Structures are given as C-alpha cells and as structure tokens.
Amino acid sequence: MTAFGTVFTPEMIASRYDESGWSAPEVVPSDSITLHPGAHVFHYSSTCFEGLKAFRHPDGSINIFRMDRNIQRMAQSSHLLSLPEIDKKQLEQMIVEITARFAADVPEPPGSMYIRPTHIGTEPAIGKAAAPSTTSLLYVLLSPVGDYFSGGSTALRLLLKEDGMRCAPHMGVIKSGGNYASSLPSMMQARAEVKADQVLYCPDGQVQETGAANFLLIDGNEIITRALDSTFLHGVTRDSVLTLARDLGMDVQERDLSIEELLERSAKPETEATLSGTAAVLAPVGTLIYEGKEYTVGSGQPGPMTSKLRQMMNDIQWGRSEDTHNWLTRV
C-alpha cells in the first residue's frame, strides 16, 4: 500500500502573479515546476497551503467539502505572509476545474481525492529578507487517497509538552510549511524516548494543539477544546465536528483547558480524547504522557462518541446523509 499523499494525478492547475496581475489558470504537468534558485520561497519561507477533499457520492457525482472555508483561510495565510493577494473566485474555479478534469480518479468511499492548493513567493531576490516577494505561483495539486484507518483505528499516544509551542504565536493561524517543520524535532524526540505518536503542546500548562491537528476532549455530553486565538490553526475539521456536536445537543466549550483538568477528566472511564484533521477527521487518543508518567484516557481504546462524530461527518462527505449545513460543492 502506498503512503497517504504520495500518489498524484499527472496534471495540476497553476496561475502566476506579476505586476500585471494573475495569469489565466493553465493545466500543466504535476511532476515539476521551474523556479530560480534564488526564489523568495527557498530563502524566506514565503509559502502557504491548504488541504481539502473531494468525495464520490452514490449517484456518481463528485463533491468538494467546505471549499469556501479553505479558500478563506488560504487568503488569510497569504495576507499574513505578505504574499500577493489571491483571487478567491479564481482559486475556487481552479479547484473545481482540476477536480472535474480528474473526476474519474476520485476513489469510492472510504477513499477520496485530496486537494492541495499551494501559494509560493517566486521572486529571485536573496536580498529581500525584510521585503515580500512581488511575484508568486499558485497551483492546485491532486492526490487520490484511500482509507486513513485502513490499518485499523488505533488509539494514539500523546506526550504533553509545556515548554515551547508548535510555532511562533503570531504564526499559529497560518497554514505554512515552516510551522510543521518547526514541530518535527520535538515530535521525533517524543517518538524515540517515549514512543509517542504526537506531541500535545501545552504552553503555560494550557492545552493547545499537536504538530498537525487540533485537540478535543469529550466528557459525557461535554466537548472541550481551546478557544480560537492567533497561536494555533483554526481547523476546518475542528469547526465541522463542533457544529455536528451542537447538532447532537452536546455542550460545546471553547475555553482554556489546563493539564490538571485534562488529566482529572481523562481518568473517568467514559472520557474520550481525539485529534481532528482533514486526513483522519477524528483520530482517537488513548494515552497521555506527562512528566514521565502515562495516563490512560477513559478505556484507552477508541471511544463511541469519537466514532459517532466521525461517522456523521463521513456520511455527509460521502452523500449518505443530508448536507444540512451546505458544506458540499458539486463539481
């Protein structure tokens, strides 16, 4: 089996920005791009991206999930990185066009087409450390993917880390490659030393996020997660899950969650913890590691509410239940 996100369609769609504005989008080969070695992105990390999915429905139609939210977030990331302002309508058309072009390659559920819009600064100017790139490249890459849980849904082990954060606080809301790279050393150390799957960053003792996902705690009818601020990524999946939880009548609390409260609640037999993200929707957490000691979350196994919320989301994505929130865009 190939690893998630390593197979690509042979073509992508791209547009370039210069002093005359955005070029007409063009379908081009997806196996390479040509950039000057002095391109701004290589030296000053002027890059952001998004991750969203298209799904095949029983009637054969292809539907993209919450594209508007991803485009909105990409526009925000581009703005905060001082990249050229994207044309949101053009990006929507690019996503729809390239997805429709490869509609036949969208897998049946539980597979999907992973969509990766990417925006990079291309100006060849290594003297512009304190100035933005005046040119850029925006492209949309496609990757057919299978079931994230094909090997079974296993509860994850998280190391709680109080010192440090995933990225600089003012960069948290930006979906940029550098943020992920900055979290790799602590994640690799956690894997080597305590066999953790992820690091859960808890600056000042307050639960925040992991290196690649938002964190949610489920205690009976309560679902608790950190309130949105500039220090961490505002996940589209997080927002979707919380919306579905409210639909179920759950008490959704977006607030501070201390390590102490997390460990106290986790000791209850029915408590669940989960990570939310585009790839897995919800990935169950079974063990928390803090100050050299392991704490079991609830039963230590994937919990029923995590499974229920993930299934509710999948049923909307796969066209098996009504899209009451108008999250789908038909290609």
Side-chain angles (χ1 to χ4, degrees):
M1 180 187 300
T2 57
F4 186 97
T6 59
V7 174
F8 302 96
T9 57
E11 294 174 322
M12 63 180 184
I13 193 166
S15 174
R16 291 183 180 270
Y17 181 89
D18 58 22
E19 65 277 357
S20 60
W22 287 102
S23 67
E26 182 181 4
V27 175
V28 297
S30 63
D31 60 350
S32 64
I33 54 176
T34 301
L35 292 174
H36 191 283
H40 200 273
V41 62
F42 295 141
H43 303 272
Y44 306 117
S45 297
S46 50
T47 170
C48 58
F49 65 92
E50 278 299 321
L52 61 160
K53 285 180 175 178
F55 300 88
R56 182 177 300 279
H57 282 195
D59 63 1
S61 67
I62 306 302
N63 295 264
I64 303 173
F65 186 72
R66 303 207 72 177
M67 175 172 60
D68 57 334
R69 286 296 297 267
N70 287 97
I71 291 175
Q72 180 182 345
R73 190 170 65 181
M74 188 162 203
Q76 174 181 267
S77 293
S78 297
H79 173 72
L80 294 174
L81 290 171
S82 298
L83 279 162
E85 181 181 353
I86 66 170
D87 181 331
K88 289 184 282 189
K89 190 64 179 177
Q90 176 179 283
L91 177 55
E92 177 182 334
Q93 293 169 346
M94 289 170 66
I95 293 171
V96 169
E97 179 180 338
I98 197 65
T99 303
R101 187 179 183 89
F102 289 97
D105 295 320
V106 178
E108 295 283 349
S112 59
M113 181 68 81
Y114 191 86
I115 304 169
R116 175 54 64 93
T118 305
H119 190 194
I120 60 176
T122 56
E123 184 179 1
I126 59 174
K128 297 192 73 171
S133 176
T134 59
T135 63
S136 67
L137 170 65
L138 176 65
Y139 61 88
V140 181
L141 192 62
L142 301 181
S143 176
V145 295
D147 182 7
Y148 189 86
F149 293 107
S150 59
S153 179
T154 304
L156 302 173
R157 293 166 52 84
L158 303 186
L159 174 66
L160 277 56
K161 183 177 175 62
E162 290 183 88
D163 57 321
M165 300 173 66
R166 182 176 77 98
C167 61
H170 68 285
M171 290 287 287
V173 294
I174 304 172
K175 196 168 179 67
S176 182
N179 289 355
Y180 293 82
S182 69
S183 71
L184 286 176
S186 57
M187 192 182 308
M188 292 173 68
Q189 183 181 1
R191 286 175 182 168
E193 294 181 356
V194 296
K195 295 182 172 58
D197 297 292
Q198 289 275 349
V199 172
L200 178 58
Y201 295 95
C202 305
D204 300 319
Q206 298 296 319
V207 176
Q208 189 189 60
E209 64 179 339
T210 68
N214 294 135
F215 179 86
L216 300 94
L217 183 69
I218 303 171
D219 182 0
N221 193 51
E222 298 174 277
I223 183 165
I224 306 167
T225 189
R226 186 181 179 97
L228 296 178
D229 60 34
S230 66
T231 67
F232 73 104
L233 195 65
H234 301 180
V236 176
T237 302
R238 171 194 179 278
D239 178 76
S240 305
V241 169
L242 295 184
T243 299
L244 294 178
R246 292 186 181 98
D247 289 347
L248 291 174
M250 296 184 71
D251 177 13
V252 176
Q253 301 175 24
E254 297 182 74
R255 61 171 176 82
D256 287 348
L257 174 65
S258 67
I259 291 176
E260 290 72 23
E261 182 183 358
L262 170 61
L263 297 180
E264 180 182 342
R265 286 180 178 264
S266 296
K268 300 177 184 179
E270 304 302 320
T271 298
E272 302 174 41
T274 185
L275 302 182
S276 67
T278 302
V281 179
L282 289 175
V285 175
T287 304
L288 302 173
I289 308 164
Y290 178 60
E291 294 186 341
K293 184 177 178 180
E294 296 192 7
Y295 299 83
T296 300
V297 180
S299 67
Q301 301 300 315
M305 186 52 69
T306 296
S307 298
K308 180 181 179 69
L309 287 166
R310 184 171 65 224
Q311 191 63 55
M312 288 177 66
M313 178 97 82
N314 285 155
D315 285 346
I316 295 171
Q317 293 172 330
W318 299 340
R320 296 175 181 173
S321 65
E322 187 180 357
D323 176 24
T324 58
H325 296 287
N326 297 315
W327 285 341
L328 298 172
T329 300
R330 186 163 178 153
V331 172

